[in-house]
């Protein structure tokens, strides 16, 4: 199983039946493919849709409908389409149960940097700042390192997306929960040791007496 699939399957276990969920560009969109059996969530795109169809449904994609990253998507029966103003009213008004975003960095304060890529032209922060500030739960889905360098740092050195502390960080190695006391290591991936996670992390981790093995959506 590749890293992105591991991350997406673990994040999927955090979603609950009836949740209104925004999936960010890239890796987070994969989460829709691994929802637990019997769990229906309503996928929102800041482009102005509630009720996007999960990726991989044959014939669901339509060129006229796109997700936040511009990839073709479809809609489920009963979906709603509206303008960007209404879409961002949902986000800024605190109506989203969960947002799942990719990350460039997360630090010991649980703050996220995810909108500026060093050395690359980017179109801007998109809805990231609104999503992190407005959603009830913020889950960061990202690889633990980039080109061998830690992405979980003592302090972010890229511009912050929001001053809000995120609720959960899921990587291919671990599940980490930011708290008032710091970053708590809650789970490690199967076959991964606590020491390996610590070695791949610049930030100081709080390690409980018992650290569970990561369970993935079926």
């Amino acid at each position: 199983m590749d890293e992105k699939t591991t991350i997406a399957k673990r994040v999927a276990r955090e979603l609950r039946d009836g949740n209104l969920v925004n999936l960010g560009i890239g890796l987070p969109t994969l989460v829709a493919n691994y929802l637990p059996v019997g769990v229906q969530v309503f996928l929102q795109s800041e482009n102005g849709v509630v009720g996007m169809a999960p990726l991989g449904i044959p014939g669901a994609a339509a060129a006229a409908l796109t997700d936040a990253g511009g990839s073709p998507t479809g809609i489920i029966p009963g979906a709603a389409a509206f303008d960007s103003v209404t879409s961002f009213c949902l986000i800024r008004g605190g109506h989203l149960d969960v947002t799942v975003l990719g990350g460039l960095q997360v630090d010991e304060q649980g703050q996220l940097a995810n909108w500026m890529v060093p050395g690359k032209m980017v179109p801007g922060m998109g809805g990231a700042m609104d999503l992190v500030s407005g959603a009830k739960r913020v889950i960061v889905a990202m690889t633990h390192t980039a080109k061998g360098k830690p992405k979980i740092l003592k302090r972010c050195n890229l511009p912050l997306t929001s001053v809000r502390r995120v609720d959960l960080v899921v990587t291919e190695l671990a599940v980490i929960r930011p708290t008032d006391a710091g970053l708590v290591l809650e789970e490690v991936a199967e076959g991964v040791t606590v020491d390996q996670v610590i070695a791949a992390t610049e930030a100081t981790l709080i390690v409980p007496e018992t650290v569970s093995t990561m369970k993935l959506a079926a």
Side-chain angles (χ1 to χ4, degrees):
M1 187 184 305
D2 63 40
E3 295 176 346
K4 291 183 178 180
T5 300
T6 297
I7 296 167
K9 285 190 170 187
R10 177 58 187 85
V11 171
R13 294 188 63 245
E14 294 294 314
L15 305 184
R16 301 292 178 261
D17 196 46
N19 279 173
L20 178 60
V21 180
N22 181 284
L23 300 179
I25 298 170
L27 193 163
T29 61
L30 301 177
V31 173
N33 294 332
Y34 302 109
L35 297 176
V37 175
V39 172
Q40 181 183 26
V41 302
F42 298 93
L43 300 178
Q44 186 257 4
S45 167
E46 56 261 41
N47 291 349
V49 177
V50 168
M52 288 193 302
L55 301 175
I57 296 179
L65 297 171
T66 64
D67 61 21
S71 299
T73 188
I75 53 175
I76 63 174
F82 33 80
D83 61 20
S84 292
V85 173
T86 303
S87 186
F88 276 87
C89 283
L90 284 174
I91 295 169
R92 295 171 181 170
H95 302 289
L96 279 178
D97 294 300
V98 183
T99 185
V100 183
L101 301 100
L104 296 172
Q105 298 174 344
V106 174
D107 65 20
E108 286 183 357
Q109 287 69 44
Q111 293 179 325
L112 168 68
N114 83 330
W115 68 273
M116 181 176 284
V117 181
K120 293 186 179 180
M121 290 291 292
V122 292
M125 71 288 297
M129 292 180 178
D130 301 278
L131 288 162
V132 176
S133 299
K136 294 173 185 174
R137 288 192 75 206
V138 178
I139 299 174
V140 178
M142 68 178 191
T143 54
H144 208 95
T145 62
K147 298 180 179 179
K149 295 183 178 180
K151 294 171 65 175
I152 302 176
L153 309 174
K154 291 187 177 296
R155 290 291 289 181
C156 292
N157 53 47
L158 295 175
L160 295 178
T161 305
S162 172
V163 295
R164 172 187 172 169
R165 184 172 69 208
V166 303
D167 296 286
L168 200 67
V169 180
V170 179
T171 77
E172 77 280 12
L173 300 182
V175 176
I176 296 169
R177 187 176 302 278
T179 69
D180 288 339
L183 301 179
V184 179
L185 178 60
E186 293 196 337
E187 301 175 19
V188 294
E190 187 172 356
V192 174
T193 67
V194 169
D195 286 343
Q196 285 175 316
V197 175
I198 291 172
T201 308
E202 180 192 280
T204 299
L205 297 176
I206 299 169
V207 182
E209 289 186 10
T210 301
V211 178
S212 303
T213 300
M214 193 187 297
K215 293 181 175 62
L216 307 180

